[in-house]
Amino acid sequence: MVGSVARGRIMAQILAKHPRELGFGHWRWQRISAVATLGLMLYFTYLVASMGSLDYSAAMAFVAAPQHAVALAILVIAGLFHAALGVQMIIEDYIPLASGRLALVTIARGVFAIAAMASLVSVGMIAGLI
Amino acid sequence: MALWLVALAAGAAVFNPVADAMQHPLGQLVVFGYSLALVYHGLNGIRHLMWDLRIGLEIKQVYQSGYLVLGLTFLVTAALWLAV
């Protein structure tokens, strides 16, 4: 049986060797992005619900307004970051893979990164910044 | 969301079909389901953050907050759609 002091020392050694492999960073960032997105959640859901009733010129005017452009940009960054972490967790916990897990996680991250980039560029274009 | 923004930036010719699809009853059903899932995820996220703060970890409280989240999800989603 390993005592708690010895266990702590072993954990410290693992952490020194593989600083990213304990998953604490993932857990922490998942919560940070969750709290960051939480405040924008009602706003976003309201926007999703009203999307159908906005025509082209109304939608352009809405997104181009500085307060909405900034809110959407934060939402895209924090929300898709949170989504990427969540999908990584689903892959790691629920897809039984002997190999290729890292590749799958990387692909998922790439998809979310592209979606985030495309959204940010779009908001920039609509707001007349690009 | 990303699709909607990209379509909007691409111009009216691309945006209008997307908006039409969203206004179609089936599109509205999809959007409504999405909003329902978002509200549930947000409320249950609060529940999870409370657990992280060691609040409500008794099995009875876990059940209570679960039903509370479920009920609030429908109330909040209905309120949002009525407000739109």
Side-chain angles (χ1 to χ4, degrees), chain A residues 67-120:
Chain A
Q67 69 273 26
H68 293 298
V70 170
L72 284 170
I74 296 171
L75 193 66
V76 163
I77 294 169
L80 288 179
F81 181 47
H82 185 74
L85 291 175
V87 168
Q88 179 187 350
M89 213 173 82
I90 292 169
I91 292 169
E92 288 170 350
D93 288 358
Y94 296 108
I95 302 180
L97 283 176
S99 64
R101 182 167 287 160
L102 185 62
L104 200 56
V105 169
T106 307
I107 291 168
R109 282 186 181 176
V111 170
F112 283 111
I114 290 168
M117 287 295 184
S119 304
L120 287 179

Side-chain angles (χ1 to χ4, degrees), chain A residues 16-77:
Chain A
K17 240 186 192 171
H18 314 279
R20 288 180 294 142
E21 286 180 22
L22 284 180
F24 176 61
H26 180 283
W27 185 91
R28 185 171 49 182
W29 277 109
Q30 192 170 35
R31 267 127 196 97
I32 291 172
S33 57
V35 174
T37 325
L38 198 55
L40 291 165
M41 200 73 179
L42 269 181
Y43 166 81
F44 181 50
T45 323
Y46 183 80
L47 179 62
V48 166
S50 55
M51 267 178 187
S53 56
L54 291 173
D55 65 3
Y56 179 71
S57 55
M60 283 295 276
F62 179 86
V63 177
Q67 69 273 26
H68 293 298
V70 170
L72 284 170
I74 296 171
L75 193 66
V76 163
I77 294 169

Side-chain angles (χ1 to χ4, degrees), chain B residues 27-48:
Chain B
Q28 283 282 290
L29 192 68
V30 171
V31 174
F32 179 77
Y34 182 44
S35 73
L36 197 68
L38 272 175
V39 171
Y40 175 72
H41 187 72
L43 289 172
N44 213 33
I46 296 173
R47 186 165 167 243
H48 269 271

Side-chain angles (χ1 to χ4, degrees), chain B residues 46-64:
Chain B
I46 296 173
R47 186 165 167 243
H48 269 271
L49 288 169
M50 302 273 271
W51 287 339
D52 290 340
L53 298 171
R54 285 180 258 160
I55 297 169
L57 281 170
E58 295 295 324
I59 192 70
K60 200 179 164 196
Q61 295 171 313
V62 169
Y63 271 95
Q64 280 172 346

